Amino acid sequence: MKFRPIALAALLTLGMAPAVHASPTGVWRGSNEAWEKVCARCHLSGVGPELRGRQLPPEYIKQVVRHGFLAMPAFPHGAIDDATLDGVALYVSKSRLNAPAKPAAPAKKL
Amino acid sequence: MTAQKTAPAAASGPAAPAILPPGVSAGDFAGAIREFITILGAENVLTDADHLAPYTKVMVAESEDLHRPAAVIMARTVEQVQKIMAVCNRVRVPIWPISTGRNFGYGSAAPQSAGQVILDLRHMNRILEVDPVMCTALVEPGVTYQQLKDYLVENNIPLWLSCPAPSAIAGPLGNTVDRGVGYTPYGEHFMMQCGMEVVLADGQVLRTGMGGVQNTNAWQVFKWGYGPYLDGIFTQSNYGVVTKMGMWLMPQPPVYKPFSIRYEKDEDIHDIVETLRPLRIAGVIPNAMVFANVMWEAAAIMPRSKYYQGTGTTPDHVLEEIKAKEGIGAWNVYAALYGTKEQVEVNWNIITGAIKASGKGRIITEEEAGETEPFKYRAKLMRGDMTLQEFGLYRWRGGGGSMWFAPVTVAKGSETRDQTELAKKILGEFGLDYVAEYIVGMRDMHHIIDVLFDRSNPEEMERAHACFAKLLSEFGKRGYAVYRVNTAFMDQTADLYGPVKRHVDQALKRALDPNGIIAPGKSGIRI
Ligand SMILES: Cc1cc2nc3c(=O)[nH]c(=O)nc-3n(C[C@H](O)[C@H](O)[C@H](O)COP(=O)(O)OP(=O)(O)OC[C@H]3O[C@@H](n4cnc5c(N)ncnc54)[C@H](O)[C@@H]3O)c2cc1C
């Protein structure tokens, strides 16, 4: 049995406002997914700095995502389109920090 | 960079490029850009500083100016790639193809030399086929591991991937054509690749292996096809643009048992290799296991400033303190067993027996490790799961500089001892750290050293560059060479492989791409 080809790109951009010169295909179902599957892997694990609850300006966040910053990789439009990034930046900017970021548990002494 | 940028391109027309391809006039390049727009649409031809910025960020110890692209173009179809080739041949515009463009520490997305046009294939992101019976997949360049993983999970297909450490954002095609590695039994990715589609510089579309046979259904199951086997010449090379790749996937085993073995002393690396090599060659340990040193382990969980605020090489007494307080070994083995309960049990007994007989090494099971890092992310990698935890390496010293120095090692204890001593000595001369792991292949090991430095400090960047050059030459004198290298050191590395190899590489280049339009300088190859 073979599975039909899937064109994620075609399915996932629905509902996103087209931005000038933005990457026309989103690869994300929404900003939440991009946050969870990329950003959060470093920024909620202590690998990257805690961003929540700091009211970071969305423009600043977008700038760092596009340009990278030291260890933070730069993300081109093909990896995250403007509409999705807008959503991520807004989410991070407005987020509250209930519990401090959980740094990776250190290895147990065994 | 943003300060000097021109206004972002709008639908009205592209921004004037900041730099031109070498030897191409502004007028000719503007003409090429117009043709790219006709082929791809204006939204897929990027020339303004804002859109080029993400492709310009590098981690290597050289100015980004040496790797600045003239433009970025994004194709979606094979036909578009063919048309791009025609324009590039006519105007002599060099293009640097990338798939997902996450080649961190090897040059990131940026070209080997300034003025090339990046051909970004991220939008060619269809998973064309997954065959759960034959356990194969056929993917386009822009497919990420995350996308493929999601597809398998959502469709309930019990197959596993093998991924490099930044699995969540990298992709199988780009990783495999650069001959990258992962950590499962399928960890040698190029070995598990089967069939390619390649757009050649003259616009022809080649299908390798069985792919040229009309109506074949064996493209993804038989690697060699007939006559000369060609897939290899499209890896780490610039002979074509790969637009499809077949790969084998691993059936999810009923039982998965990751484990770690902790060793206390630096010199234990000798006995680790001697104890475990026979088990790897015999297939008792089936995966690309890893021997990670104390700093690699520590970096995954904390910055070094927790124990050391100084600069330069981390002193040995600090490493001893970290080992004692954080419970990290001098060397830490990560391996796994896969199979039925019975199979895993038999192999587990063989392994524990061998460790016991060797008189050193402390085994840590998943149950003992619990939720702790780095065990958790290692266990994810050994089953091809998504993680970015290893980015912790960049927090160790900070500053975002990284170049992988990755010499091939014969899997012999004596050789690992020599290479480790030599690397530590040279890194020490330059005030840098020996942050290392060995990834165990079928007979070889990739000795992966992350040459970490502060890229925001010009003096340290210069030092890191000199250090890397010395690592290459001193290792070279002893018969050791790297399996892959960053864009700053491709020529020096090509020299290590000898003049005849360079000549043959060039002869192939001249035959397949006589105008030298595809990725000039990749692996030191030019017309
Ligand atoms: C913390 C960390 C850990 C890492 N661990 C690993 C690891 O375990 N294993 C590993 O292998 N790497 C590792 N890397 C290095 C690198 O990030 C990965 O190899 C990554 O998979 C490469 O990026 P990519 O998959 O996006 O490929 P790309 O960047 O798209 O491609 C890599 C190169 O292949 C060539 N290429 C790409 N597409 C094509 C094409 N269609 N046609 C012709 N040529 C093409 C280009 O020269 C390109 O530069 C690590 C990096 C980091 C930061």
Side-chain angles (χ1 to χ4, degrees):
Chain A
M1 180 177 64
K2 300 211 167 168
F3 284 78
R4 282 199 8 257
I6 51 160
L8 268 184
L11 291 172
L12 303 180
T13 43
L14 297 174
M16 284 174 185
V20 182
H21 225 143
S23 62
T25 34
V27 287
W28 303 109
R29 273 170 258 227
S31 304
N32 275 358
E33 193 190 26
W35 165 258
E36 268 165 32
K37 289 185 177 168
V38 181
C39 324
R41 291 192 196 279
C42 288
H43 292 286
L44 292 191
S45 66
V47 167
E50 174 59 77
L51 304 174
R52 294 168 303 169
R54 291 168 59 186
Q55 293 89 44
L56 293 169
E59 283 311 315
Y60 171 75
I61 294 165
K62 288 192 271 184
Q63 168 85 4
V64 173
V65 169
R66 291 291 182 219
H67 290 248
F69 181 64
L70 300 175
M72 160 87 183
F75 289 81
H77 292 73
I80 180 165
D81 55 279
D82 280 334
T84 307
L85 179 55
D86 284 344
V88 170
L90 203 64
Y91 165 77
V92 172
S93 183
K94 291 195 165 162
S95 60
R96 285 200 236 150
L97 184 57
N98 300 321
K102 193 176 65 167
K108 269 191 237 161
K109 274 204 230 175
L110 292 164
Chain B
M1 231 203 75
T2 35
Q4 60 169 50
K5 80 177 196 299
T6 48
S12 55
I19 54 162
L20 294 167
V24 177
S25 73
D28 283 354
F29 192 55
I33 293 288
R34 276 194 300 275
E35 290 195 68
F36 291 144
I37 290 175
T38 308
I39 298 165
L40 303 167
E43 72 279 16
N44 292 309
V45 179
L46 313 174
T47 52
D48 64 291
D50 243 9
H51 281 78
L52 297 193
Y55 298 89
T56 308
K57 182 175 193 298
V58 291
M59 305 182 89
V60 296
E62 266 184 354
S63 162
E64 34 283 274
D65 288 337
L66 298 174
H67 303 280
R68 205 177 280 287
V72 174
I73 57 180
M74 301 188 284
R76 278 153 207 280
T77 68
V78 173
E79 294 72 32
Q80 287 176 344
V81 176
Q82 291 174 280
K83 287 182 186 162
I84 289 166
M85 293 295 183
V87 175
C88 291
N89 270 302
R90 207 167 340 103
V91 192
R92 302 287 195 271
V93 170
I95 45 160
W96 180 264
I98 58 168
S99 291
T100 34
R102 277 26 200 104
N103 217 3
F104 306 120
Y106 289 114
S108 303
Q112 196 273 336
S113 57
Q116 301 195 38
V117 170
I118 292 175
L119 172 59
D120 183 351
L121 301 172
R122 183 70 171 79
H123 288 312
M124 289 179 77
N125 65 347
R126 288 178 305 162
I127 298 164
L128 295 166
E129 190 172 89
V130 172
D131 183 340
V133 176
M134 298 315 299
C135 306
T136 64
L138 180 68
V139 297
E140 290 191 324
V143 171
T144 60
Y145 287 109
Q146 177 80 61
Q147 185 188 342
L148 194 50
K149 178 82 193 171
D150 288 348
Y151 180 72
L152 296 173
V153 169
E154 282 163 21
N155 291 284
N156 234 339
I157 303 170
L159 295 174
W160 278 6
L161 305 176
S162 176
C163 316
S167 54
I169 54 179
L173 196 149
N175 181 273
T176 305
V177 298
D178 224 23
R179 296 208 295 268
V181 295
Y183 303 91
T184 75
Y186 285 36
E188 183 62 273
H189 294 159
F190 182 49
M191 223 179 262
M192 298 299 168
Q193 173 273 339
C194 192
M196 277 180 189
E197 181 186 85
V198 189
V199 177
L200 302 174
D202 65 5
Q204 290 191 86
V205 180
L206 168 73
R207 290 194 170 183
T208 65
M210 298 301 289
V213 178
Q214 251 186 1
N215 299 323
T216 183
N217 58 6
W219 194 22
Q220 268 64 69
V221 301
F222 184 60
K223 283 167 71 92
W224 322 122
Y226 175 73
Y229 171 71
L230 295 179
D231 297 48
I233 69 165
F234 298 107
T235 62
Q236 290 190 8
S237 82
N238 49 16
Y239 302 148
V241 176
V242 182
T243 46
K244 292 183 181 61
M245 187 188 79
M247 59 198 283
W248 294 342
L249 303 177
M250 176 183 160
Q252 180 182 330
V255 174
Y256 168 60
K257 187 176 175 65
F259 61 96
S260 169
I261 315 171
R262 190 174 298 167
Y263 289 84
E264 296 311 323
K265 300 205 181 87
D266 288 345
E267 55 271 26
D268 288 343
I269 189 63
H270 177 278
D271 289 6
I272 294 172
V273 177
E274 292 305 312
T275 307
L276 297 180
R277 177 195 54 244
L279 300 178
R280 171 69 168 132
I281 293 182
V284 173
I285 295 175
N287 72 316
M289 72 182 135
V290 159
F291 313 149
N293 86 340
V294 52
M295 274 189 268
W296 193 294
E297 290 280 280
I301 53 172
M302 64 192 189
R304 81 168 175 172
S305 56
K306 182 170 171 193
Y307 285 90
Y308 179 64
Q309 277 82 40
T311 55
T313 305
T314 313
D316 282 344
H317 70 86
V318 174
L319 298 178
E320 288 307 318
E321 191 187 347
I322 291 174
K323 277 159 62 179
K325 293 199 175 143
E326 302 286 341
I328 296 174
W331 290 99
N332 307 271
V333 174
Y334 292 94
L337 298 177
Y338 310 74
T340 64
K341 188 165 157 281
E342 294 79 5
Q343 287 171 316
V344 166
E345 205 167 286
V346 167
N347 286 330
W348 181 246
N349 289 335
I350 297 172
I351 292 160
T352 49
I355 299 301
K356 198 160 172 211
S358 77
K360 54 178 79 158
R362 167 173 201 168
I363 296 184
I364 298 153
T365 61
E366 191 174 25
E367 293 72 31
E368 289 169 296
E371 285 292 291
T372 58
E373 294 288 7
F375 191 99
K376 202 171 132 191
Y377 97 85
R378 288 290 184 185
K380 277 190 172 179
L381 284 178
M382 291 189 291
R383 62 167 191 260
D385 245 340
M386 300 305 115
T387 158
L388 293 177
Q389 187 71 27
E390 209 161 80
F391 269 90
L393 284 168
Y394 303 132
R395 151 188 72 176
W396 180 244
R397 294 172 69 112
S402 162
M403 296 182 287
W404 305 103
F405 179 68
V408 172
T409 313
V410 174
K412 285 189 176 164
S414 53
E415 185 154 322
T416 47
R417 206 175 40 207
D418 290 352
Q419 282 204 4
T420 289
E421 272 172 23
L422 182 61
K424 235 179 143 167
K425 181 173 153 287
I426 296 170
L427 286 153
E429 286 169 22
F430 291 87
L432 300 174
D433 280 335
Y434 176 66
V435 182
E437 67 175 11
Y438 286 92
I439 307 178
V440 185
M442 307 296 281
R443 298 292 186 280
D444 76 298
M445 301 193 292
H446 290 13
H447 182 187
I448 309 279
I449 300 162
D450 200 349
V451 179
L452 295 166
F453 60 97
D454 182 354
R455 221 178 160 275
S456 64
N457 172 347
E459 184 277 321
E460 185 156 314
M461 179 154 104
E462 215 167 281
R463 215 166 353 107
H465 193 279
C467 178
F468 202 94
K470 183 161 184 185
L471 283 165
L472 277 173
S473 62
E474 288 301 314
F475 271 67
K477 280 181 201 159
R478 291 158 180 83
Y480 302 135
V482 295
Y483 92 101
R484 177 181 178 190
V485 84
N486 65 68
T487 44
F489 289 95
M490 287 183 164
D491 286 277
Q492 191 182 340
T493 300
D495 281 339
L496 289 175
Y497 282 84
V500 179
K501 173 71 165 52
R502 288 206 82 163
H503 177 253
V504 173
D505 285 348
Q506 187 182 46
L508 288 170
K509 181 70 175 166
R510 289 176 174 173
L512 291 172
D513 179 14
N515 294 323
I517 57 158
I518 303 175
K522 176 79 182 179
S523 300
I525 307 167
R526 295 174 196 85
I527 45 167

